[in-house]
Amino acid sequence: MNIKIISDSTCDLSRDLLEKNNITLVPLSVIMDGKDYKDGITITPAEIFAHVSAGGDLCSTSAVSIGEYADIFAEYAENYDGVIHINIGSGFSTCYQSACLAAEEFDNVRVIDSRNLSTGQGL
């Protein structure tokens, strides 16, 4: 059976682990100084830390939309027997709810609530 694992970018797995295990990330949005960035794509944790260390305001995040999840699920659902998406804990974000709603369109996509964030989610 050919299984694809997807997670949102809050799992904090290293590039090596992502590549070794063929895990795809769905980036959350990071809002810094009113500008929207894609976590791990157009902004890195180091840039966020440097911004805050320099006296900048704390950043906030925005959940992945149902449409964004549907697009990524569609990309992999056709080519894999199953798609498992592991989300940031539902108590921390609405990502889980959005992913569940998007997954309803696919027979072979399952969404798991990690009930964690960051390294706990990645583990």
Side-chain angles (χ1 to χ4, degrees):
M1 184 170 262
N2 194 13
I3 303 295
K4 177 65 180 170
I5 297 174
I6 302 172
S7 182
D8 57 52
S9 60
T10 60
C11 69
D12 291 337
L13 292 174
S14 69
R15 276 287 151 220
D16 289 341
L17 280 173
L18 293 170
E19 290 174 10
K20 178 181 175 185
N21 295 291
N22 189 28
I23 299 170
T24 297
L25 295 183
V26 180
L28 271 70
S29 292
V30 175
I31 297 94
M32 183 171 73
D33 289 337
K35 188 172 178 188
D36 192 358
Y37 299 89
K38 291 294 180 186
D39 185 25
I41 297 174
T42 58
I43 195 166
T44 65
E47 291 170 313
I48 296 168
F49 297 144
H51 168 77
V52 174
S53 291
D57 290 335
L58 292 176
C59 298
S60 60
T61 59
S62 178
V64 178
S65 72
I66 297 167
E68 289 171 304
Y69 278 123
D71 289 345
I72 194 102
F73 293 164
E75 182 179 341
Y76 293 104
E78 289 184 24
N79 300 314
Y80 288 86
D81 299 318
V83 176
I84 299 170
H85 177 70
I86 304 169
N87 261 108
I88 183 174
S90 61
F92 303 105
S93 173
T94 59
C95 284
Y96 175 72
Q97 287 303 111
S98 295
C100 286
L101 290 170
E104 289 177 0
E105 298 180 31
F106 306 93
D107 292 332
N108 63 339
V109 176
R110 301 293 178 264
V111 179
I112 297 173
D113 181 354
S114 72
R115 298 185 184 199
N116 275 287
L117 65 144
S118 191
T119 305
Q121 177 188 350
L123 291 173

